[in-house]
């Protein structure tokens, strides 16, 4: 299942526009995080996608939603992509994301606030970050426009998605893999801030790699054996 998540929407109209965009590309599961009051404007702008708003879910925070719905893969969207020294915001394009997303499980595509986007602590909850290249003179996209680009890239590949033969690594498996790497990082003798950066880089790589459950278990076993050898 793919959830489309809108974090702290400020305008009922934008909720309606997002629902309409979702309907265009055959996405039906809308989640609102701590939203504004749903007024008539939301349903008016939704046009023939009112059912998506009627059936939406609400949560108080992104972390609460991820836990409650047992999300296996979380995709953040941002216009503020990071460079080499902002590893938590290193991003891929919607096309790169769609080409790699051949997985099953519960997936969340997260769009941030109209004004401030996603905060760093919310980005940290995501497995991969997607950004849309835009004109430097006016880089800000409306939520529905950004959603249309991302959802279209997924929709046009619908005949290849999902591929049943690939069993994606569960969230718990990826977390265990990161924990094993963190244990190895401790042996490097790095200062605390460098260990944190190394852990974040590894998490980003795992997110962008879309690894399978079998791959995750193989890596976990390998890292665990390396840890045992170092302890010896």
């Amino acid at each position: 299942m793919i959830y489309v998540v809108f974090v702290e929407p400020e305008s009922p109209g934008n909720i309606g526009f997002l629902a309409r965009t979702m309907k265009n590309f055959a996405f039906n599961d809308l989640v609102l995080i701590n939203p504004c009051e749903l007024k008539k404007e939301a349903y008016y702008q939704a046009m023939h996608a009112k059912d998506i708003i009627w059936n939406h879910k609400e949560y108080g925070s992104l972390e609460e939603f991820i836990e409650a719905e047992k999300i296996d893969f979380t995709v953040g969207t941002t216009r503020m992509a990071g460079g080499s020294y902002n590893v938590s915001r290193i991003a891929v394009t919607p096309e790169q994301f769609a080409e790699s997303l051949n997985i099953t499980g519960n997936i969340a595509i997260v769009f941030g606030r109209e004004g401030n986007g996603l905060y760093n602590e919310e980005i940290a909850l995501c497995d991969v970050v997607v950004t849309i290249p835009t004109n430097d003179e006016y880089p800000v996209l409306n939520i529905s426009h950004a959603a249309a680009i991302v959802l279209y890239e997924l929709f046009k590949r619908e005949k290849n998605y999902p591929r049943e033969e690939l069993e994606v690594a569960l969230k718990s498996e990826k977390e265990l893999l990161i924990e094993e790497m963190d244990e190895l990082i401790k042996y490097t003798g790095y200062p605390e801030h460098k260990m944190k950066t190394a852990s974040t880089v590894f998490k980003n790589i795992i997110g962008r790699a879309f690894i399978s459950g079998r791959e995750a278990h193989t890596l976990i076993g390998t890292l665990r054996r390396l840890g045992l050898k170092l302890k010896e």
Side-chain angles (χ1 to χ4, degrees), residues 80-91 120 123 197 200-201 204:
M80 297 177 64
S84 298
Y85 292 96
N86 190 355
V87 293
S88 65
R89 285 183 180 265
I90 293 177
N120 286 335
I123 289 288
T197 298
T200 301
V201 168
N204 289 349

Side-chain angles (χ1 to χ4, degrees), residues 20 32 34 56 66 74 87 91 96 109 146 171 177 192 222:
R20 187 172 175 178
L32 303 178
N34 192 25
H56 83 277
I66 291 171
T74 306
V87 293
Q96 290 169 327
I109 303 175
K171 181 179 177 62
L177 178 55
E192 185 70 26
T222 301

Side-chain angles (χ1 to χ4, degrees), residues 200-214:
T200 301
V201 168
F202 183 70
K203 177 188 173 185
N204 289 349
I205 292 170
I206 294 303
R208 291 196 298 271
F210 305 99
I211 65 173
S212 69
R214 179 64 179 272

Side-chain angles (χ1 to χ4, degrees), residues 40-61:
K40 290 182 179 180
E41 183 185 0
Y43 298 95
Y44 174 77
Q45 300 296 359
M47 299 292 287
H48 297 294
K50 293 181 180 66
D51 59 305
I52 289 179
I53 299 180
W54 289 331
N55 296 320
H56 83 277
K57 295 182 178 181
E58 290 187 15
Y59 288 93
S61 70

Side-chain angles (χ1 to χ4, degrees), residues 28-172:
N28 298 302
D29 296 287
L30 173 64
V31 174
L32 303 178
I33 306 296
N34 192 25
C36 59
E37 183 183 351
L38 278 178
K39 298 180 180 178
K40 290 182 179 180
E41 183 185 0
Y43 298 95
Y44 174 77
Q45 300 296 359
M47 299 292 287
H48 297 294
K50 293 181 180 66
D51 59 305
I52 289 179
I53 299 180
W54 289 331
N55 296 320
H56 83 277
K57 295 182 178 181
E58 290 187 15
Y59 288 93
S61 70
L62 182 59
E63 189 170 14
E64 180 188 343
F65 156 70
I66 291 171
E67 281 292 321
E69 297 296 339
K70 296 180 171 56
I71 301 301
D72 298 303
F73 197 82
T74 306
V75 183
T77 59
T78 180
R79 66 181 179 86
M80 297 177 64
S84 298
Y85 292 96
N86 190 355
V87 293
S88 65
R89 285 183 180 265
I90 293 177
V92 298
T93 65
E95 185 176 21
Q96 290 169 327
F97 161 60
E99 286 175 352
S100 301
L101 189 66
N102 295 312
I103 61 177
T104 56
N106 291 330
I107 302 166
I109 303 175
V110 185
F111 297 93
R113 302 159 184 81
E114 290 99 320
N116 298 317
L118 295 173
Y119 298 148
N120 286 335
E121 55 267 29
E122 292 162 339
I123 289 288
L125 296 173
C126 299
D127 296 288
V128 68
V129 176
V130 173
T131 192
I132 300 170
T134 52
N135 183 358
D136 289 340
E137 292 182 9
Y138 191 41
V140 183
L141 289 171
N142 179 275
I143 175 67
S144 62
H145 297 164
I149 293 169
V150 175
L151 299 183
Y152 164 71
E153 289 294 342
L154 292 173
F155 178 76
K156 73 180 184 180
R157 290 174 54 82
E158 65 175 344
K159 292 183 180 179
N160 295 323
Y161 175 79
R163 294 182 182 175
E164 294 182 0
E165 67 271 18
L166 180 60
E167 295 182 3
V168 64
L170 299 174
K171 181 179 177 62
S172 58

